[in-house]
């Protein structure tokens, strides 16, 4: 087996493995640049509709004609025959004499990724903000006590010395923020504010 054939045989293994790993997303094509009219040596994925024995692409012909052509062209925009956008990478393979023998090309179907990205963007997008700040964790009795004490301190009072209007406003605020759903919230509140259970419910009317 010649050096060139050995190189192509080994590259064919890579094309097969990579193409089958990303089946449906990425087409992997191995071109035999020694025979441009029938350059496609192996193809996995088949997203472009090409088959073994098909001719080289314009890029393949350019690589054949120019020994100074870049070894790797990475992530350049491309398009499948049906119009789907693609992202391509072309890797030139040289023999020991420095001549291009083959090219391994990967064509990623980015139309699928674009649709997924748009769907994720829609899922992550929020609409108008809520009329109050919401916390998604459960409230606790300790937080209830702290909130009552902070409310009273900010107004120059202890919880028990708050005027009736202040206690009413506090109870309604606690209700809106979900603190009255805390276990034993009403008994805790009556003890802190020095009011009856009936007063709590009256404030909520």
């Amino acid at each position: 087996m010649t050096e060139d054939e050995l190189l192509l045989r080994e590259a064919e293994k890579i094309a097969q493995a990579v193409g089958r790993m990303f089946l449906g997303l990425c087409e992997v094509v191995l071109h035999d640049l020694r025979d441009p009219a029938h350059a496609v040596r192996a193809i996995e994925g088949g997203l472009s509709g090409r088959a073994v024995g098909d001719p080289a692409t314009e890029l393949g012909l350019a690589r054949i004609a120019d020994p100074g052509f870049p070894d790797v062209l990475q992530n350049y925009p491309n398009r499948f025959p049906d119009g789907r956008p693609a992202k391509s990478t072309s890797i030139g393979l040289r023999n020991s004499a420095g001549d291009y023998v083959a090219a391994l090309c990967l064509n990623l179907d980015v139309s699928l990724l674009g649709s997924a990205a748009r769907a994720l963007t829609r899922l992550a997008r929020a609409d108008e903000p809520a009329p109050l700040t919401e916390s998604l964790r459960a409230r606790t009795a300790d937080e209830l006590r702290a909130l009552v004490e902070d409310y009273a301190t900010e107004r120059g009072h202890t919880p028990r010395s708050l005027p009736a209007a202040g206690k009413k406003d506090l109870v309604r605020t606690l209700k809106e923020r979900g603190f009255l759903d805390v276990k034993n919230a009403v008994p805790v509140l009556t003890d802190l504010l020095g009011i009856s259970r009936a007063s709590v419910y009256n404030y909520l009317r």
Side-chain angles (χ1 to χ4, degrees):
M1 181 180 294
T2 66
E3 178 191 3
D4 290 357
E5 280 297 324
L6 179 60
L7 184 65
L8 281 158
R9 189 190 71 179
E10 295 303 300
E12 198 166 347
K13 295 178 188 177
I14 297 171
Q16 183 180 82
V18 174
R20 292 181 182 180
M21 182 173 183
F22 298 103
L23 190 64
L25 289 174
C26 186
E27 175 185 76
V28 184
V29 187
L30 176 63
H31 296 274
D32 182 347
L33 299 182
R34 302 170 306 171
D35 184 11
H38 308 90
V40 177
R41 167 84 172 238
I43 186 165
E44 290 289 337
L47 299 177
S48 66
R50 288 176 293 173
V52 171
D54 280 353
T57 62
E58 297 86 349
L59 193 149
L61 294 175
R63 183 171 264 131
I64 293 168
D66 180 10
F69 198 88
D71 285 353
V72 178
L73 288 180
Q74 187 85 49
N75 295 334
Y76 60 91
N78 213 334
R79 194 163 292 277
F80 291 111
D82 62 4
R84 283 172 297 159
K87 182 171 74 171
S88 298
T89 291
S90 176
I91 307 163
L93 305 176
R94 300 178 189 262
N95 58 20
S96 58
D99 300 324
Y100 279 123
V101 174
L104 188 63
C105 300
L106 294 81
N107 303 306
L108 181 70
D109 184 352
V110 295
S111 67
L112 298 174
L113 301 178
S115 297
R118 287 190 293 273
L120 290 172
T121 298
R122 287 195 297 270
L123 283 172
R125 185 176 61 232
D127 293 325
E128 293 299 319
L132 49 85
T133 302
E134 179 183 29
S135 173
L136 299 181
R137 59 183 176 80
R139 273 68 173 172
T140 66
D142 286 342
E143 288 179 310
L144 172 61
R145 291 187 184 93
L147 190 60
V148 169
E149 289 169 1
D150 288 346
Y151 181 95
T153 300
E154 287 171 3
R155 289 157 178 79
H157 288 275
T158 65
R160 285 177 174 257
S161 71
L162 279 168
K167 291 178 180 179
K168 182 176 183 180
D169 178 65
L170 173 59
V171 169
R172 290 185 173 181
T173 299
L174 293 172
K175 173 65 175 177
E176 290 172 359
R177 296 182 61 177
F179 279 95
L180 294 192
D181 295 327
V182 173
K183 185 178 180 181
N184 297 322
V186 173
V188 168
L189 198 54
T190 58
D191 182 60
L192 285 170
L193 296 179
I195 58 177
S196 67
R197 184 184 295 261
S199 294
V200 172
Y201 295 119
N202 283 334
Y203 289 159
L204 294 173
R205 291 177 182 169

